[in-house]
Amino acid sequence: MRGWIVNRPSYIPPVQVGEIMRATTVVRVIESQHPAHPVGSFAVGMFGVQEYALSNGTDVTRVDPELAPLTTYLGALGMTGMTAYFGLLDVGALKPGETVAISGAAGAVGGVAGQIAKLMDCRVIGIAGGEAKCRHLTEDLGFDAAIDYKAEDVRRSLRRHAPDGIDVFFDNVGGAILDAGLINLAVRGRVVVCGGIAHYNDEAPAPGPSAYLILIPKRARMEGFVAFDYADRYPEAMERISGWLDAGSITNQEHVVHGGIEDFPAVLAMLFKGENTGKLILAIE
Ligand SMILES: NC(=O)c1ccc[n+]([C@@H]2O[C@H](COP(=O)([O-])OP(=O)(O)OC[C@H]3O[C@@H](n4cnc5c(N)ncnc54)[C@H](OP(=O)(O)O)[C@@H]3O)[C@@H](O)[C@H]2O)c1
């Protein structure tokens, strides 16, 4: 969302000043002439930050609150889950038994990615800000180790927890944390460039990673991706993730703030202060 309100070319045009802020939302249908979306049903789509939206049904998916709580369709069964699933399994080409490190690990995408990696019998190291979030990773989500980047030297801690190197570094943060991951890559390691939240608010271009030349001796690969590119394969990911949710092998972590439209800017800003654990959702009642 932060990237959508910067006036520079990206994978999708920026939201213009005065336009409705783009957002994926779960909505209740209150009036309908569409047979697939009767009044009282629920749907997920890009309805934006507004109390009421009008749609012709294109790119709108009906969702069933009996199958999963509605907020899960924004979290583990939404963009968040799709990003974690395809980022880790396709872009990262994760194999069972490998060592994975994840930055932004206590956030929405990071928490799902770590839990999926655990299901693949991988060793999973999470990087997050603060003791409470680190405890959440190891105690609630089953991570093997957690590094508090606010209190520890990430480069050294990664070396300690992954002495043979990191096979997949799933990066949500960028900057110095990305460098710490690069330095600790295993031979033929892969860096999944999911996001770079540490620099989204910078006024000037962020300094490049200083450790990227390590990709040469490690024969490693660094690759960015956009989850939307996998839209054709969302059903595959939804089926597997809902199976894991139903079996209790992963949990949907969410942080719901109840409020009104006017609270949206302040809620968005919480992401940049680390004030959320799991998927941050604004619920408008
Ligand atoms: N490639 C794609 O298709 C795709 C799709 C969706 C999202 N993304 C990206 O994935 C990343 C995670 O998104 P999300 O929705 O799951 O958000 P999120 O991780 O739930 O929330 C952001 C978290 O980032 C951490 N953070 C904020 N500023 C930081 C900084 N300066 N240094 C280190 N950590 C910082 C905070 O956790 P701490 O308390 O641990 O600092 C915060 O809770 C974002 O970079 C997003 O842009 C990419």
Side-chain angles (χ1 to χ4, degrees):
M1 280 187 166
R2 183 64 185 84
W4 295 338
I5 51 173
V6 178
N7 201 11
R8 65 172 166 243
S10 186
Y11 61 92
I12 193 167
V15 178
Q16 297 299 312
V17 173
E19 278 183 359
I20 291 162
M21 180 60 192
R22 188 182 292 138
T24 307
T25 49
V26 174
V27 298
R28 185 164 54 88
V29 178
I30 55 168
E31 241 184 82
S32 177
Q33 296 175 10
H34 197 299
H37 298 282
V39 171
S41 66
F42 294 90
V44 66
M46 279 273 186
F47 296 111
V49 182
Q50 53 182 343
E51 287 171 291
Y52 299 93
L54 192 62
S55 166
N56 65 6
T58 308
D59 293 330
V60 172
T61 309
R62 186 168 171 183
V63 293
D64 185 349
E66 301 289 320
L67 295 180
L70 287 172
T71 46
T72 310
Y73 295 103
L74 300 173
L77 292 176
M79 258 295 284
T80 289
M82 304 302 107
T83 305
Y85 182 93
F86 292 109
L88 200 59
L89 303 182
D90 267 65
V91 185
L94 184 67
K95 293 189 270 302
E98 289 191 318
T99 297
V100 185
I102 301 170
S103 62
V109 173
V112 179
Q115 293 184 83
I116 293 177
K118 276 314 298 173
L119 288 174
M120 305 258 313
D121 287 327
C122 290
R123 177 167 169 72
V124 184
I125 303 158
I127 304 167
E131 207 187 316
K133 286 194 178 183
C134 286
R135 220 175 318 113
H136 166 66
L137 293 179
T138 53
E139 290 178 9
D140 304 330
L141 301 189
F143 282 51
D144 296 285
I147 298 170
D148 175 1
Y149 74 87
K150 291 183 174 165
E152 293 177 55
D153 178 328
V154 179
R155 188 178 291 202
R156 280 196 193 170
S157 297
L158 279 173
R159 192 177 319 132
R160 183 158 48 85
H161 291 302
D164 297 328
I166 298 164
D167 298 301
V168 174
F169 186 66
F170 190 107
D171 189 31
N172 290 309
V173 169
I177 289 179
L178 169 58
D179 259 345
L182 282 167
I183 286 287
N184 281 287
L185 281 178
V187 172
R188 303 221 180 276
R190 286 86 71 201
V191 178
V192 179
V193 183
C194 178
I197 195 166
H199 291 292
Y200 288 166
N201 290 327
D202 288 0
E203 300 275 319
S210 62
Y212 76 100
L213 287 177
I214 198 87
L215 296 172
I216 299 170
K218 295 291 183 186
R219 284 87 168 161
R221 189 163 59 78
M222 186 162 160
E223 185 178 340
F225 77 106
V226 176
F228 292 139
D229 297 345
Y230 290 90
D232 288 353
R233 290 179 53 202
Y234 283 176
E236 165 201 324
M238 301 256 308
E239 196 181 322
R240 287 191 80 188
I241 295 172
S242 45
W244 291 327
L245 285 168
D246 290 348
S249 13
I250 68 169
T251 54
N252 181 57
Q253 301 296 317
E254 60 188 27
H255 189 135
V256 181
V257 178
H258 298 269
I261 291 293
E262 63 283 3
D263 297 311
F264 173 78
V267 173
L268 181 62
M270 288 172 64
L271 293 169
F272 300 91
K273 295 182 264 180
E275 289 175 348
N276 68 306
T277 299
K279 177 74 180 182
L280 183 61
I281 290 170
L282 172 60
I284 294 161
E285 274 115 23

